[in-house]
Amino acid sequence: MKTKTEKRKLSSVIVAAVCLLAVVSLTLAMFSRIESVSRLFTVSNFVSEGMVSFDGTDDITPYKTDNGIAVSLNPSDANYIGKLRVSVKYAGYGVGLIRVRVVEQWSTLDSSGIRHIMPYSLFMPYTIDSEYDGTGNQKAWFDNREADYRFYYATPVTSSTDSGTTIPMITGFDVNSIDVGAIAEGTQLHIYVETDVVQVNRYPQFWGINTLPWAESNSATEEKI
């Protein structure tokens, strides 16, 4: 009789433990589902795209390569660097901040056709549309390349249309400001354009900076573009 009682007690403990485990599992599942849903609310509708062309020619398919967009230093070529144009297409009704990185990569091919990256570190003298030239927020591009290789659009913005707005950035190139003759013959130049947009109050988390780089920046204001 004692053995049966002990078995019943043991069975009761096991059932209780299983019930508790089920409750804990259900509770954890609920928290897991709540966490997943809450993450969805942090996703913004911001979209940005770097638009590259050569003096108004939008079809740059012939110059797209696995290494980036091929750019020539020969003024007679259609993809001459002096004809390079870069704009940013931005869409999003929330308030956002935009920055752009233009990466230049110089390389040569040896006699075996093997590509070698050249250690050129040239400050490319791009002509910037509406370049930042003072303090406070401006609808202009702030050149922060010396610190992080990027351009910042120096004001928080919202798009005024469903299809987005195109902001001109690079509109030319001062070829006289670099010594083209110092570049080895046969050197190839490829560029990448990387755009980045973030919710205005989230730039410290996503960009890893505590303050916006232009003077007297104010993230509490916004402009329609």
Side-chain angles (χ1 to χ4, degrees):
M1 185 69 66
K2 183 178 179 182
T3 304
K4 290 181 179 180
T5 302
E6 289 177 350
K7 286 182 177 180
R8 281 200 296 270
K9 287 182 179 179
L10 181 59
S11 298
S12 299
V13 171
I14 293 173
V15 170
V18 170
C19 291
L20 178 60
L21 180 60
V23 171
V24 171
S25 299
L26 178 60
T27 303
L28 291 176
M30 288 174 63
F31 278 116
S32 178
R33 285 198 298 270
I34 292 171
E35 184 182 8
S36 297
V37 171
S38 68
R39 285 176 180 165
L40 293 177
F41 289 107
T42 65
V43 177
S44 72
N45 65 339
F46 299 135
V47 177
S48 64
E49 180 183 1
M51 313 292 288
V52 180
S53 65
F54 289 103
D55 200 14
T57 302
D58 295 327
D59 184 11
I60 60 170
T61 303
Y63 313 112
K64 289 183 177 179
T65 75
D66 292 339
N67 304 313
I69 299 171
V71 179
S72 172
L73 297 177
N74 186 342
S76 63
D77 290 338
N79 61 334
Y80 174 55
I81 193 168
K83 301 175 183 177
L84 179 69
R85 304 290 182 265
V86 175
S87 299
V88 176
K89 187 175 182 180
Y90 168 82
Y93 283 96
V95 184
L97 290 163
I98 305 168
R99 68 179 183 178
V100 180
R101 187 162 75 118
V102 181
V103 182
E104 302 92 12
Q105 189 177 83
W106 305 83
S107 63
T108 58
L109 295 177
D110 63 20
S111 58
S112 301
I114 298 175
R115 186 168 177 261
H116 298 274
I117 305 301
M118 304 295 291
Y120 291 144
S121 181
L122 301 177
F123 189 82
M124 302 295 272
Y126 297 117
T127 302
I128 304 300
D129 182 82
S130 300
E131 189 166 5
Y132 182 89
D133 62 0
T135 60
N137 291 352
Q138 299 178 24
K139 286 185 178 181
W141 292 100
F142 177 74
D143 188 347
N144 202 48
R145 285 180 292 171
E146 290 187 357
D148 63 5
Y149 308 104
R150 291 176 171 87
F151 294 92
Y152 289 74
Y153 198 65
T155 190
V157 295
T158 58
S159 177
S160 58
T161 65
D162 291 330
S163 59
T165 303
T166 300
I167 312 169
M169 193 181 86
I170 295 177
T171 58
F173 186 87
D174 184 6
V175 70
N176 295 319
S177 295
I178 64 172
D179 186 4
V180 178
I183 300 172
E185 186 177 354
T187 300
Q188 299 177 342
L189 171 61
H190 294 84
I191 67 165
Y192 298 85
V193 177
E194 302 172 350
T195 62
D196 189 8
V197 59
V198 69
Q199 187 176 331
V200 67
N201 61 340
R202 300 285 287 171
Y203 70 86
Q205 291 86 352
F206 287 97
W207 287 354
I209 56 177
N210 294 322
T211 58
L212 295 170
W214 63 92
E216 298 181 18
S217 61
N218 184 354
S219 62
T221 65
E222 63 183 88
E223 296 278 354
K224 283 193 177 294
I225 56 174

